[in-house]
Amino acid sequence: MQELVLIQPGGRAQEESARETALAEARREFESRLAECGPLAYRVARGVLRNSADAEDVAQEALLRAYRSFDRLRDRSRFRGWLVRISYRIALDRLRSSKRREQRDTEWGQPEHQPPSPTAEDLAASSEFQVRLERALEELPEKLRFVLLLAAVEGHTIEQISEMAGVSVGTVKSRIFYARRQLAEKLRCHVNLSRTR
Amino acid sequence: MPCEPFQDALIEAAASGEEPRGELRAHLKDCAACQAVFDREQSLFAGVDSGMRVVANAEVPPSLLPRVRARLDEVTAPRYQAWLPKWYVLAGASAMLAFFFVLQSFRQPGMEQKPVETSANTTQASPQTNSPQKEKPSTVAAPNSAFVVPRTHAYAERVHVSRSVSNAEPHPEVLVPRDQEVLLALYAKEWRGQKPAPMVVTDSNDSGLKPLEVPPIQIAELDVKLLAESDAQ
């Protein structure tokens, strides 16, 4: 049996105008959060990648992805944590792919691994301890690194980190504890050596 | 007092950032070496924390937000435009699919079959002289059920359609013995008419419709001659 649907004249135009209004509303709301959360996305990416240019690309990508899926985020109060997780995942993916690329380049007979050329900002921040710390941070398990980064970024509280990471407060505390201890173990030699000099 | 039992507690106290308590606190008061190690551990953890703050709170490039806004502008416009063609494509594909299924429901096996049809060049006279590739076993009349061809209602509609299609083609010539011409004429009349012919199109499963009982055609032995031979005559 054929089913007929009555279409009101002008219904389509109304639909389109409603959609446009919704889009404009979503854009406005996203923009209001962009100024607040954009830097956070960048800092999380920078903490993982240790390179300003890459971090900027990743933050941009994360923000665009967040915008595209913004209408699917029902609880807008979770935007911050959601964006942080997107940014962290993209940064990790990029880090892994760049590591694979470096490995491939090495295998293809390049003389030595050349780290990405540091920016002026990178150079300013790179004391020997800092460099070692960042290397040690890179070697941390992802879960520990994530909470430690969040703890360091913009002075988030344990509760905020718990919400952003989607784990309990106790888990956040223990992860931060183990992360700091592992970093300290990796850096202890350096500290002892520098004291004996 | 030996220092070894306090080593782990000392590091854990430094890692947690809390002041040492209990026995450890008492030991640190008495042991200068352990106090020195504890101070070193505390400064190490402080260094880790301050280093982490440097890592994590890098200056945000001023170009970040303008770049993101520009990309958002790019994304927003084509997003809406790209959405419409997708819908059109989907709607078109759905319509095509629906049309295909409707067409398929008409195109059952034996659709193009006509109950009585022969090629114009065929000299064999028989009411069931369909071309061999179109013929189906179910359409061949059994000796006792001559024209009773069990079919579904869908087939009845198809016959109707195919009939209108075949109107464009020249009518086939059916050769039957002289004593069966009357019957054939009757059948042809039914066939050309627009009303459905129940004697041809009936549903064997439908108990409400009974096939029309038609006495079997008595086909006399045919005198088949080659075309060339008949032309010569």
Side-chain angles (χ1 to χ4, degrees):
Chain A
M1 182 183 284
Q2 197 175 6
E3 201 170 300
L4 297 173
V5 179
L6 284 173
I7 301 169
Q8 288 180 348
R12 188 182 176 82
Q14 279 177 2
E15 228 173 70
E16 280 175 14
S17 113
R19 198 178 300 122
E20 274 174 18
T21 313
L23 270 175
E25 184 63 35
R27 173 74 192 261
R28 258 198 305 278
E29 197 179 341
F30 188 83
E31 287 245 11
S32 69
R33 289 166 195 273
L34 183 63
E36 182 203 343
C37 301
L40 178 63
Y42 170 80
R43 284 177 179 138
V44 168
R46 173 74 177 71
V48 175
L49 294 166
R50 299 189 292 133
N51 178 289
S52 303
D54 285 351
E56 192 175 349
D57 285 348
V58 166
Q60 194 178 320
E61 179 63 29
L63 286 161
L64 279 174
R65 277 196 203 177
Y67 177 66
R68 286 195 187 106
S69 314
F70 191 55
D71 51 347
R72 275 182 263 157
L73 181 70
R74 289 187 182 177
D75 187 358
R76 298 284 163 92
S77 64
R78 293 179 183 273
F79 180 78
R80 208 175 157 84
W82 182 60
L83 178 65
V84 161
R85 286 195 291 274
I86 294 174
S87 184
Y88 186 70
R89 271 200 302 272
I90 299 174
L92 276 182
D93 285 347
R94 182 170 287 218
L95 187 71
R96 283 176 195 142
S97 64
S98 68
K99 273 183 183 172
R100 276 199 297 272
R101 199 167 49 241
E102 279 166 16
Q103 199 176 2
R104 199 172 53 233
D105 290 347
T106 312
E107 282 167 6
W108 275 67
Q110 286 200 356
E112 250 174 58
H113 157 63
Q114 296 285 325
S117 52
T119 61
E121 187 193 333
D122 294 331
L123 286 171
S126 66
S127 67
E128 199 179 339
F129 180 81
Q130 198 63 31
V131 171
R132 284 175 186 271
L133 173 70
E134 290 183 8
R135 273 187 204 153
L137 182 66
E138 204 176 305
E139 289 166 14
L140 277 184
E142 279 172 26
K143 287 176 180 177
L144 301 187
R145 186 166 24 159
F146 185 45
V147 288
L148 195 64
L149 262 176
L150 290 182
V153 172
E154 299 175 10
H156 288 124
T157 64
I158 300 288
E159 286 75 20
Q160 284 173 326
I161 298 166
S162 155
E163 199 183 319
M164 283 192 282
V167 292
S168 71
V169 169
T171 307
V172 171
K173 280 182 184 171
S174 74
R175 282 183 187 174
I176 289 176
F177 177 80
Y178 286 115
R180 288 174 76 239
R181 210 169 68 172
Q182 282 189 31
L183 285 184
E185 273 168 23
K186 288 176 194 291
L187 294 167
R188 193 167 285 126
C189 289
H190 169 70
V191 172
N192 291 341
L193 277 172
S194 56
R195 275 173 194 269
T196 53
R197 277 178 197 165
Chain B
M1 202 176 196
C3 300
E4 205 177 327
F6 295 104
Q7 279 180 354
D8 286 341
L10 191 149
I11 292 170
E12 290 210 358
S16 66
E18 293 170 359
E19 282 299 310
R21 280 178 285 184
E23 283 184 16
L24 178 63
R25 188 175 180 175
H27 177 74
L28 287 178
K29 270 186 184 174
D30 296 339
C31 181
C34 282
Q35 182 63 50
V37 170
F38 182 68
D39 291 343
R40 207 162 56 223
E41 286 295 319
Q42 274 190 320
S43 67
L44 173 62
F45 280 103
V48 167
D49 290 342
S50 63
M52 280 304 299
R53 277 194 291 276
V54 171
V55 170
N57 293 295
E59 190 83 9
V60 179
S63 61
L64 175 68
L65 295 184
R67 274 179 66 191
V68 172
R69 285 197 182 98
R71 288 288 303 276
L72 287 182
D73 288 337
E74 284 171 20
V75 167
T76 311
R79 185 190 181 198
Y80 179 60
Q81 284 167 2
W83 181 86
L84 280 175
K86 269 182 196 169
W87 262 108
Y88 282 129
V89 168
L90 275 175
S94 310
M96 289 283 284
L97 264 175
F99 178 72
F100 176 75
F101 282 120
V102 167
L103 202 69
Q104 277 297 103
S105 71
F106 285 104
R107 289 180 58 111
Q108 297 284 333
M111 170 194 160
E112 293 167 14
Q113 204 166 21
K114 297 177 184 70
V116 179
E117 182 181 19
T118 60
S119 158
N121 296 332
T122 306
T123 53
Q124 280 185 330
S126 164
Q128 302 293 329
T129 50
N130 294 340
S131 59
Q133 66 270 26
K134 289 177 184 175
E135 199 169 60
K136 287 265 174 186
S138 62
T139 60
V140 176
N144 294 332
S145 61
F147 287 101
V148 180
V149 184
R151 279 295 168 197
T152 60
H153 291 299
Y155 180 66
E157 291 170 10
R158 286 201 312 277
V159 167
H160 184 75
V161 171
S162 64
R163 219 183 285 168
S164 63
V165 169
S166 65
N167 281 345
E169 298 166 1
H171 290 293
E173 187 184 354
V174 181
L175 301 176
V176 292
R178 196 170 285 276
D179 59 334
Q180 290 177 12
E181 278 178 356
V182 178
L183 185 63
L184 182 68
L186 182 70
Y187 181 80
K189 190 181 171 188
E190 285 290 331
W191 174 246
R192 288 194 189 101
Q194 289 302 309
K195 58 182 178 182
M199 67 176 182
V200 183
V201 186
T202 57
D203 190 350
S204 62
N205 297 329
D206 193 342
S207 58
L209 290 172
K210 284 186 179 177
L212 182 67
E213 292 291 333
V214 179
I217 301 171
Q218 299 298 320
I219 302 172
E221 204 170 316
L222 297 172
D223 182 18
V224 180
K225 290 177 183 174
L226 291 174
L227 278 173
E229 198 178 323
S230 61
D231 287 346
Q233 286 172 358

